[in-house]
Amino acid sequence: MTQTFHNTPFDALEIGMQASAERLCVADDLYVFAHASGNLNPMHLPREDGDGDGKPEAIAPSMWLAALISGVLGNRLPGPGTLYHSQTLRFVGRAHAGDKLTANVRLTGKRDGRIAVFDTWVTGPDGTRIVEGEAQVIAPDKALNFCADDMPGLTVQSHVHFDRLLDQAAPLPAIPTAVVAPEDVQSLNGALLGLDHTLITPILIGCARKIAAAAAELDRDLTGMQIIDLPDHDAAAARAVALVHEGQARALMKGQLHTDVLLRAVLKKDGGLRTNRRLTHVFVMDVPGLSHLLMVTDAAVNIAPDLACKVDIVQNAIDLAHTLGVEQPKVGILSAVETVNPAIPSTLDAAILSKMADRGQITGGLVDGPLAMDNAIDLGAARTKGIKGLVAGRAEILIVPNLEAGNMLAKELTFIAHAEAAGIVMGAQVPIILTSRADDDKARLASCAVAALYAAATKT
């Protein structure tokens, strides 16, 4: 949004002139200030308990409050062209994330050298002063206008949606999970993270020697954990599936083995975990700056899905969204364009899927397509192109034309937009947690949380 600021030159300043500005203190302000100043005092970090009382304080740093005064002096009175000479401060109260604050300045004197003297103060939500002092500034000597239309934006890389998922899953009992071939540090650590957060109870299946070596590298004691020594990956995957049938496991988790080895055991006609749905993979993504979770599917299992497969891809994603708390998910069927073009087969599939949802053949969500990426997720882009409806610009689930497009989209969001990505395979009798060696701890935990929430919902 473009903002234009006007100043008041020194000669035009009159004693008693006042200016003020309101500001809502939000959690992101505290993180931005921590990064800019280097002050990582936990008293000021929204999710940290800085004094040991068992709850976060999220106290706005005093110098951040003082900076609000600087904003009024630099933007409003005297305005653009102003430079600080001195500032005294007394901090007589505290502000917290969520407080609406008002910074105020009042001109009290003019001195040689274009020095303007201001009484300065900041008030809290109830009007009580929390900062007060005196500023001396060098006022501009001529009238200036400043148009702030090219200020770089800031996106705080916090992953609040995954934090919410972890909070949702925390009260649930840990689900027994057959972890297949956790024979390296990354895959074993993912299972142990789920254990530490009481999301899963791992049953480790694979080469016991390699599992022990990975545990030693992590400095973790596996005493008391169930370990099934099966060095052959096909045998380990088959045993994991058998544990589900025996009622000992309610989820599967991929370790250091090829995905197709695990899924081959799941898909066996005799003794597998088939249902009337195809297996489909869903990335559940927490994209910084986006106000909701974003799901991308299918980016890991179905290479070139036909229309029948895409029906299951859409329905599986909708069902998963329900278990994550989205009552009526908005599903955007992606293509290169937003109009039906017989030369682009994915636009035909998109139109058919949308109509199938209208006729009740796909249930539980709002489905629209074809949509290009821009008008699927950006309301302004949708309006510019005249695309109406409840999905355009608001999509929470993105259905990609094929695995290549989905894989590229998910990795672009992860490595360029700094998203975290949880991964789960749907369509089997139990959820299957797929993690990547590139996943960090938050992504591995989120995958376990998604599986726990889905397992709890389907059990109910």
Side-chain angles (χ1 to χ4, degrees), residues 282 284 295 316-324 424 426 450 454:
V282 183
V284 180
M295 301 167 76
N316 283 343
I318 290 173
D319 292 349
L320 180 59
H322 288 165
T323 68
L324 302 183
I424 186 171
M426 301 281 294
V450 169
Y454 181 75

Side-chain angles (χ1 to χ4, degrees), residues 234-273:
D234 286 300
R239 183 61 188 138
V241 169
L243 289 176
V244 174
H245 287 296
E246 295 167 8
Q248 297 186 52
R250 291 176 49 217
L252 302 182
M253 186 174 189
K254 175 184 173 291
Q256 192 187 30
L257 79 165
H258 290 298
T259 300
D260 59 349
V261 174
L262 177 59
L263 297 187
R264 188 162 58 240
V266 172
L267 288 170
K268 282 186 176 179
K269 290 184 178 180
D270 297 323
L273 299 175

Side-chain angles (χ1 to χ4, degrees), residues 88-105:
T88 64
L89 296 165
R90 293 179 296 278
F91 301 104
V92 294
R94 301 293 177 194
H96 298 78
D99 286 350
K100 187 176 183 180
L101 309 171
T102 305
N104 307 268
V105 303

Side-chain angles (χ1 to χ4, degrees), residues 41 86 115 186 201 251 269 300 303 308 327 334 420:
N41 181 352
S86 67
I115 299 294
Q186 289 87 356
T201 301
K269 290 184 178 180
I303 298 173
E327 292 184 7
L334 294 183
E420 291 277 12

